[in-house]
Amino acid sequence: MTRRERSGEQQHTRRTGDIETWVRPLCALIVAGVAAYASYVHQRSFALQGGADRVSASLWPLSVDGLLLLATLGLLKQESSVGCRAKWAIWSAFLLGIAVSLAANVAAAPRLGSVNLTADPTIMGETSSD
């Protein structure tokens, strides 16, 4: 392999690495943004359905997701010097945040009506033999 070929290969590898450096975090940010928006809307709707005023309903999702964020950071950065009580508190906060967020999202999700597939002959594969 000539020096020029090696140089071109290194530049290609460097460019590919540079693209991956910003594309992956950007895609993760987009996915996280969509999930956060959907979660916020569902949790706010859940709080409003439960009788909360508009301000409280708007703050509710931030407190739940904030708890989850802090607990996640605590789980990711657990040092050996952290005591058993602290680890238990972090895990409890994480599981509580997941449970509350999931319950609010499920409760506020639109209800699916029953679908009768047998009423439409084209779905069931029936054809007219007249």
Side-chain angles (χ1 to χ4, degrees):
M1 182 178 278
T2 67
R3 178 177 247 166
R4 180 179 284 180
E5 289 173 339
R6 271 187 256 135
S7 174
E9 186 177 309
Q10 287 174 348
Q11 286 180 342
H12 174 69
T13 304
R14 197 175 312 132
R15 272 186 258 136
T16 304
D18 290 344
I19 290 172
E20 288 179 10
T21 300
W22 64 270
V23 168
R24 286 183 186 187
L26 179 64
C27 290
L29 186 63
I30 291 170
V31 170
V34 170
Y37 174 77
S39 179
Y40 180 87
V41 169
H42 286 145
Q43 288 187 53
R44 185 175 184 278
S45 173
F46 175 71
L48 287 171
Q49 289 172 5
D53 61 282
R54 295 180 82 129
V55 173
S56 297
S58 297
L59 294 175
W60 167 266
L62 299 177
S63 66
V64 172
D65 290 340
L67 174 68
L68 271 171
L69 178 63
L70 290 175
T72 301
L73 292 174
L75 290 172
L76 292 175
K77 191 183 176 190
Q78 281 194 359
E79 299 174 10
S80 59
S81 63
V82 175
C84 185
R85 290 173 109 189
K87 287 180 184 178
W88 185 86
I90 292 169
W91 272 105
S92 296
F94 179 74
L95 294 174
L96 177 66
I98 291 290
V100 171
S101 180
L102 183 61
N105 279 287
V106 168
R111 303 282 181 247
L112 296 175
S114 63
V115 178
N116 187 0
L117 297 178
T118 59
D120 187 357
T122 58
I123 292 175
M124 297 307 294
E126 297 174 14
T127 56
S128 174
S129 57
D130 293 331

